[in-house]
Amino acid sequence: MTRAVLVRGLGKKYRGSGWALDSVDLDVKPGETFALLGPNGAGKTTFVKCLLGLLKPTSGWVTLFGLPASDPRSREGTSFVPEAPRFPDYLTAREVMKLHGRLSNLSGDDLNRQVDSLLESVDLIDASKPVREFSKGMIRRLAIAQGLLGTPRLLVLDEPSADLDPIGRRNLRNQLIERREQGATIVLNSHLLSEVERICDHVAIIHRGRMVAAGSIEELVPRGQDLETVFVDLITAADS
């Protein structure tokens, strides 16, 4: 089976500092919902940028659906929701969505239907003011809606629950479950481990750039425990 994401020996070293990633191996099958976990500074965002071809690895390699991440064709059908989304601040939510839709080769009635549906799903259907007047939570919701345009086959989300209230987190969870049921592959990193445990099939935990553990939720979390407890124990043991 061609892996949606295949990573072998991935390393990234920044000039003047140590290894942000060190010999990371990872497999994500098509249709899986996968979470990359780790404390602050573990290398999660660096991993995501290498995955999407935004950073050139120092060592190792990444493929998306069998193509090298450095090949622009590998990112066809891939959508990215960054940790700190930015949009032209003079546009409205609908204008932002239509701009990104056109960049994804959407147009006409199909684009209008998707824009209306997604803005309604994130409670921005009536948001007529420009993005410069949005709260952090509204910008986050717009980023999620934009990331779902075009029915991506691979959806990559960097801390997607940041700035969301409980209703927003529930809506995000429902959206991701729906996309998983439609066959999309989802890769995310998040500090909200209870949310990860509810929606993800597999997780990997990295610390100081190295892989600490990887497997399904069932494999990593013993009966009677939760993912947060397992995570803290693994990170504590790695530091000892």
Side-chain angles (χ1 to χ4, degrees):
M1 177 189 294
T2 300
R3 294 294 191 264
V5 177
L6 184 61
V7 179
R8 288 293 179 267
L10 183 63
K12 179 62 181 180
K13 186 175 185 179
Y14 293 106
R15 183 176 299 177
S17 62
W19 289 86
L21 294 173
D22 189 358
S23 302
V24 173
D25 294 337
L26 200 63
D27 292 36
V28 180
K29 296 177 183 178
E32 281 188 347
T33 302
F34 170 84
L36 183 68
L37 310 177
N40 292 333
K44 301 186 299 299
T45 297
T46 295
F47 175 87
V48 167
K49 290 180 178 180
C50 289
L51 178 72
L52 295 171
L54 301 175
L55 280 178
K56 182 178 180 182
T58 306
S59 60
W61 48 269
V62 179
T63 64
L64 303 180
F65 297 97
L67 292 173
S70 58
D71 186 335
R73 294 175 301 166
S74 71
R75 295 186 292 280
E76 292 178 359
T78 296
S79 186
F80 176 41
V81 179
E83 181 179 10
R86 292 179 180 272
F87 302 108
D89 65 4
Y90 53 88
L91 297 180
T92 66
R94 183 174 299 278
E95 290 168 340
V96 167
M97 292 288 285
K98 288 194 172 184
L99 170 62
H100 283 270
R102 289 193 293 270
L103 292 172
S104 300
N105 295 320
L106 299 172
S107 61
D109 291 341
D110 182 31
L111 174 57
N112 290 329
R113 280 193 299 269
Q114 288 198 42
V115 169
D116 288 343
S117 175
L118 289 168
L119 287 179
E120 183 176 10
S121 74
V122 297
D123 197 24
L124 289 177
I125 192 68
D126 296 322
S128 58
K129 58 187 178 182
V131 169
R132 73 169 69 91
E133 298 178 20
F134 278 18
S135 67
K136 290 182 179 180
M138 292 174 70
I139 291 174
R140 177 66 56 183
R141 285 184 275 139
L142 177 57
I144 292 167
Q146 173 263 311
L148 295 173
L149 273 169
T151 318
R153 64 173 179 171
L154 174 62
L155 180 58
V156 182
L157 306 102
D158 194 357
E159 296 292 352
S161 298
D163 304 317
L164 292 180
D165 59 22
I167 294 174
R169 290 198 297 271
R170 183 186 63 185
N171 289 342
L172 171 62
R173 181 171 66 247
N174 291 340
Q175 287 278 5
L176 295 183
I177 290 172
E178 180 180 346
R179 295 306 169 115
R180 179 182 65 190
E181 292 173 348
Q182 293 171 355
T185 305
I186 299 169
V187 175
L188 62 91
N189 72 58
S190 175
H191 289 301
L192 290 177
L193 302 190
S194 61
E195 292 291 313
V196 168
E197 196 167 4
R198 295 176 73 171
I199 65 174
C200 290
D201 307 307
H202 289 74
V203 301
I205 300 172
I206 62 171
H207 184 41
R208 297 180 180 175
R210 285 185 169 272
M211 190 76 72
V212 174
S216 68
I217 296 291
E218 291 78 11
E219 290 169 338
L220 293 181
V221 182
R223 186 178 298 274
Q225 294 192 28
D226 55 38
L227 182 58
E228 181 179 290
T229 300
V230 171
F231 174 85
V232 172
D233 288 348
L234 287 169
I235 298 302
T236 301
D239 280 333
S240 62

